[in-house]
Structures are given as C-alpha cells and as structure tokens.
Amino acid sequence: MRKLVTAGIAACLVPTALWAEVVRFDIVERVPAFAGRSFGDVGSYERITARATIALDPADDRNAIITDLALAPRTAEGKVEATADVVILRPADPAYGNGTLLLDVPNRGRKLAPQLFDDSAQPGANQAQAADDAGIGFLHRNGYTMVWVGWQADIPSKPGQMALSAPIIKGVTGPAREEYVFDNTTNPARATLTWPAAEPANLAVTVRAAWADARQAPSGLTARLVDPTTVEIARPDGFDAGALYEITYTARDPMPLGMGYAAVRDVISFLRRDTSAANPLLNGLHPSVSRAIGFGVSQSGRFLRDFLYLGFNQDMQGRLVFDGLMPHVGGTRRMATNVRFGQPGRNPRHPQDPAWQADLFPFTYATLTDPISGRTDGLLRRCSLTATCPKVMQTDSEHEWWASHASLLVTDLEGNHLDLPDNVRAYMIAGTPHFAEANDTMHAGVPAMALPQNPMHAGAPMRALLTDLDSWIRDGVRPPASRVPMRAHGTLVPAEGAVRTDIPGLPYAARYTQAAVSDQSVLPPKKIGQYPVFVPKADADGMAIAGVHMIALAVPRATYTAWNPRARGFGPTALYPLQGAVVPFAPTEAARKEANDPRPSVAERYADDDAYLAAVRREAARQVAERLLLAADAERSTAAAGQGKLAKLAP
C-alpha cells in the first residue's frame, strides 16, 4: 500500500503534456455559479471560464479535411493555431456529478440548452450568476457537467457571445453570395456581408418576389459598399416587404472555418481524458467525467450532423469524442462551414435558396446512392470505417418537417420508406415551432406573420429524451422507438391534401421547403434537380398524427401547427420562418356551428373542467410509462392544466 501511495504522489508531481492538440488551457475565471444555489443531492455548482488553444498539423489525415487549413499561417512547429472560448458548469464537489459531460454547442455564440432543458430565460441563461438563472435546475439536479466551446470563427468573441479566434488567410479571393429578406420597406436598406468585399465593382444585386421567380434587376435597384462588410441597397417600387434580395460579390481573406470542428473535438477529448493539472475536470488522478453527449439547437444541431459526417467524432488517438449526439431542430441540413468563404450563420428559410450548401447530400444516417450525382454516402459512413460512431438521438420540432425537409431522414432519395440504423433514434415533437421560450403564450406575433404565434415549448419531452439517451449510453437501456412520420405508416404524405382546408382561421396552401440540387461552381448557382419531400399528415383537428405529442396537444383545447404563412404585404406565398400557428377551439357547440368550424368544441370534448383534468392525468401517466415524460414534468403539466395554463392560450 505504501508503494502505491508513493507512486500516486509521484505521478501527480510529474509534468504531463497537454492532451492531443490542446497546447494551452488558460483559466480566466473560476467562481461559484447561481449565487451558491444548491441543487438537491448534487449541491452547488461552479462556473469556469477559459481559453483553449489548439494546434493542428495540416498533414494529419484527421485534420486534412479542413478546407484551406494548409494555406493558413503556421507556427514555428508547422502547426496552425486557433483559440476557443470555453465555459464549464460543474458540481462544486465533483463526487456528486453523474459522470456525463454535456456539450451544448453555442448557437451564434449563445447558450441554448439552459432555455430548453431548464426553462431558463435570457440573458440569465448565458450568465449563470443569479439563482434564477438555473431555471428549474433539471441539468444541475441530475449532476451534469455542462460545457460550451466557441467554434464559430466568423463572429467576434465578446460578453454573451462565444467564438473561435482563427487565422486569416490573406491574399485569397473568391466568389460569394448572400440573400436577404428585410421584412420592411425602408429605402435604402443596409445589410452585413459575411466576408469583406475585395472589389466593389463586382458587387451586384437582384430581387424577386419568391425563390421560384426569375431574378430581376429593375431600374432603380442598386447596391453600394458603405465599408468592406456593409452593403446599402436602394430598392425600387413594385416589391413588397418580403421580397428576396441576392448580393453577389468577390470576397477576400477567408479563414479555415472548419477548425471549429477540431476545436470541439480536441477540447472535449482533453476534458474527458487529460490527467494533467491543467484539466479543470480532474478529480484526483482521473477526470470527473467518463461519458460525453454532444447537444446542439438549430445551427448547432446542424453543426453536430456535419461534425459526425466529416469524421470529427474520432479524436487524435482514434477514440470516441462523444458517446452520444443529440442534434436538435436541424432537420436534414448540415452547414456551409467547411468551405471557402463559408457562411455558418446562414440558414436558408422557406422563401430562400433550397439548394444552399447547408442542404447537400447526404441527408440521413444510412448510406445511400444519390440518383442525381451518382455519389454513395451517409452521415455515419466515416465513423463506421473507424469504429467511432456514437449513439444518435435526433430530435426535431414539427417545423423542421415543413421548413428543413426532415422527411429525407426517413426516406430514400426517390421518396420510399427508409429505416434508420440501429444506433439512431429520431423524434418529432408534434405541433411545435422551431424554438419557443418556456413562458411564451399565444400572441399575435409580428406584422409579417399571418396567424397567432404557436407558443409550445419542447422542454418536457426533451428532458425525458435526454434522460433516455444518457441511460442508453450509461446502462445500455434502449430508448423508446423513433416517433416520426413515416411513409410506411401513411403519416408522411405529399403536401397537397396533408391538412384539411376547411378550418376557419387556418388557411392551408401546401407550402413547404423543397430539397433542390444546384451547381455551386457557377454564380448564381444553377438548379440541376430536386428530391421528393413529404410533410406530416394531419388529423381531423389539423394537427400532425405522428410524433411525440405533448400533453397540450394530446388533450387539446386548440389546433397547434408548425407552419405559419407570411402576411399579405410580406411575401404571402411563403411561410414565415421558424414559427407555427395556434387556432383555439370554439368554446361551445353553438359557437362552433356559427363559425362553421368542423372541429369539436371544448364543451363537446370535455364535460367540465374536472373531465379535462382527468384526461390530462391519464395522458401524463401514459407518457411517463412510455418514457416520453418525466414524473416531475407530469406533475407540472397537471398543475398547469388545473390553473388553465397548459394550453398557453391568450386570456
């Protein structure tokens, strides 16, 4: 025993090189989090703010996939360096943690996991200072170690915005293209370019009422540079506030944006496995975490799909980076990041380009052959070759099935039913918009939106699914079967006829985002084909049949959709981005008949408030049994129903 203790002390005193490509890990601040609030048996948390410097060898095959890395400035050792912002929330006593590291990939530099899992509100969700910043404290009570790593190099690092400082490649120029929908009639209008313009003379602008229309350059439409990254567009009469403007220009000074994937890979491997004193997660001789889950919302969910596809779930020693991935509301998109003059912040929405570089084959996890290009590929193809595939739980709001061609997750490229691989689960949270705040209620939205805004927040099912994913990784307990619309079930159908058209106040016009293929080598790109896209089939109330139904939808008092048309004067032939709609049921049979509403009224569905509450309790018990709802959320939902707040309708 004396020999073992002496050897352990000696090991602590021997300097150890930092892990893999992390060459420096500088802690900027280490303070108590949430004003010392305690979370059950786990206790209090601390917040660690740091800067991690990575150094990549461009010749290594695991780095060589990063576009333009070989052109970037190098250190004396021949490496390319970048520095990432890092924030960690960990139990103050690591012995009470659950051993799982949860990476929340920053969305445009922001932390979104606290808003989704903990019902936290901004700006506190990004600060973790006041006790209320932890919201309901779900992640903390369960002992997760939460990590954020700045990966986006085209945004600045500043308070409330995490980023990656990457090298600039001077002297390189190339074509770039941006799209803008202003939703106002200010003239002239200003917009920000992702990259500095190299040649003002090459700046060009076109306009069209909708994506399917031909590009136009009418008299009076002009664009000029105010500075290298600001363009001013003078607009002619004849186009409404929702018109689509396209700018093409010659850009300069790119950065190897793909280093963001390597930053996440290397920092997570360092925190999981480095045993030097530099690792802030070290607990004795070993790190306090033994598992890692990668989670990301929207842009960040697309980041994780690309991270997996490009092979970054293999670290520099050939090991798994993440045991599980949970991309949320990414649909079947990836990112325009690992390309020269990429645009990580750009997300093509319904009135915009459906063939942008974020929307390229492959779309799903299984390996398929693209009938247009002839390529054979899949999101799991690279990790399958290195035995580094994680367990994947993809979660989407229903909005992604209308706006981000999520049907391509479970169909082949000719529109036939496709089974997911055994290590992948997919769940559609029915009747939800892209993202909503926990305290949202039904409201009129914005002038450009035709219908009242859907307030449904997906926190409750997401907490259950994260718990299921952690159990799958930790104990091998298989999660619930996928809950998504499928062709084989008859719940994934062509848009025409998917939703009834006779519900008052709910105009359905079969609008959705297509999946097109364009030749990106020419500017503007030339469309060369498209894939079939399907949408969820609705029930008699106008709500999706398939998917995970939150209690407010399973025991409804309104119709909740994941789509919301644009209002007249704001491009009414398109969907408003990211939002859904809500149309309450009539209160009585008489009111229903007067409005010619085919949906049964509230009074026809529930004899009284007690009957409604009893139906909520039954549904909550069923969902808990199916592991789609936690017991604590069942209690919250039942209490909200008793207070008349579950449906989140306007008073």
Side-chain angles (χ1 to χ4, degrees), residues 610-635:
D610 288 341
Y612 169 67
L613 193 57
V616 167
R617 289 196 179 99
R618 288 193 299 272
E619 178 63 22
R622 184 187 67 79
Q623 292 193 20
V624 170
E626 293 183 359
R627 296 165 55 212
L628 297 171
L629 187 70
L630 300 178
D633 281 314
E635 293 176 6

Side-chain angles (χ1 to χ4, degrees), residues 155-179:
I155 61 174
S157 173
K158 61 183 183 181
Q161 183 169 284
M162 303 179 64
L164 179 76
S165 176
I168 295 173
I169 305 171
K170 295 287 188 179
V172 173
T173 63
R177 181 174 65 99
E178 319 238 10
E179 291 178 336

Side-chain angles (χ1 to χ4, degrees), residues 4-265:
L4 288 173
V5 171
T6 303
I9 294 173
C12 291
L13 297 176
V14 174
T16 306
L18 294 191
W19 187 262
E21 312 304 285
V22 176
V23 295
R24 287 196 309 278
F25 195 89
D26 302 314
I27 295 178
V28 177
E29 184 181 52
R30 192 167 193 161
V31 296
F34 309 115
R37 175 179 169 182
S38 184
F39 300 93
D41 295 336
V42 176
S44 61
Y45 265 68
E46 67 173 347
R47 187 185 76 238
I48 300 168
T49 304
R51 300 270 288 167
T53 301
I54 62 170
L56 305 182
D57 178 2
D60 191 294
D61 287 344
R62 286 160 290 200
N63 297 326
I65 197 169
I66 299 173
T67 298
D68 287 339
L69 185 67
L71 300 180
R74 304 192 190 191
T75 65
E77 293 77 28
K79 304 290 184 68
V80 180
E81 287 192 353
T83 302
D85 296 328
V86 180
V87 173
I88 300 170
L89 288 173
R90 62 168 288 177
D93 185 342
Y96 291 100
N98 68 0
T100 299
L101 181 157
L102 178 67
L103 173 80
D104 175 22
V105 180
N107 178 302
R108 294 166 179 82
R110 302 164 300 164
K111 306 167 186 173
L112 292 185
Q115 291 174 262
L116 190 61
F117 292 117
D118 291 319
D119 294 0
S120 299
Q122 291 288 13
N126 269 270
Q127 297 168 347
Q129 294 178 350
D132 289 345
D133 290 349
I136 62 174
F138 164 77
L139 293 172
H140 318 80
R141 289 196 316 275
N142 284 281
Y144 285 97
T145 294
M146 291 155 270
V147 177
W148 292 266
V149 178
W151 62 270
Q152 195 171 341
D154 65 322
I155 61 174
S157 173
K158 61 183 183 181
Q161 183 169 284
M162 303 179 64
L164 179 76
S165 176
I168 295 173
I169 305 171
K170 295 287 188 179
V172 173
T173 63
R177 181 174 65 99
E178 319 238 10
E179 291 178 336
Y180 306 99
V181 177
F182 294 105
D183 277 340
N184 62 59
T185 54
T186 303
N187 192 11
R190 290 192 175 187
T192 301
L193 302 176
T194 305
W195 300 97
E199 302 171 21
N202 287 347
L203 189 73
V205 59
T206 61
V207 64
R208 47 191 154 164
W211 171 258
D213 297 340
R215 295 174 174 88
Q216 300 181 44
S219 175
L221 178 63
T222 61
R224 72 175 186 89
L225 286 176
V226 177
D227 58 49
T229 58
T230 304
V231 62
E232 185 174 85
I233 301 171
R235 299 188 273 176
D237 295 332
F239 290 90
D240 70 13
L244 176 59
Y245 294 85
E246 183 178 67
I247 295 284
T248 56
Y249 63 105
T250 300
R252 61 175 170 83
D253 301 341
M255 290 182 283
L257 298 178
M259 291 187 77
Y261 301 112
V264 168
R265 175 195 67 191

Side-chain angles (χ1 to χ4, degrees), residues 387-460:
T388 55
C389 289
K391 293 176 171 61
V392 179
M393 182 177 281
Q394 176 159 332
T395 55
D396 285 299
S397 74
E398 187 190 329
H399 181 79
E400 273 49 64
W401 294 74
W402 297 90
S404 299
H405 38 69
S407 67
L408 290 169
L409 194 67
V410 289
T411 68
D412 65 20
L413 298 175
E414 295 176 338
N416 302 306
H417 172 85
L418 180 70
D419 288 324
L420 292 167
D422 191 55
N423 65 319
V424 178
R425 296 289 187 277
Y427 305 91
M428 180 188 83
I429 315 299
T432 52
H434 185 70
F435 196 78
E437 300 288 344
N439 295 321
D440 279 353
T441 56
M442 172 183 164
H443 60 88
V446 297
M449 197 184 304
L451 303 176
Q453 186 170 318
N454 185 332
M456 282 295 134
H457 172 70

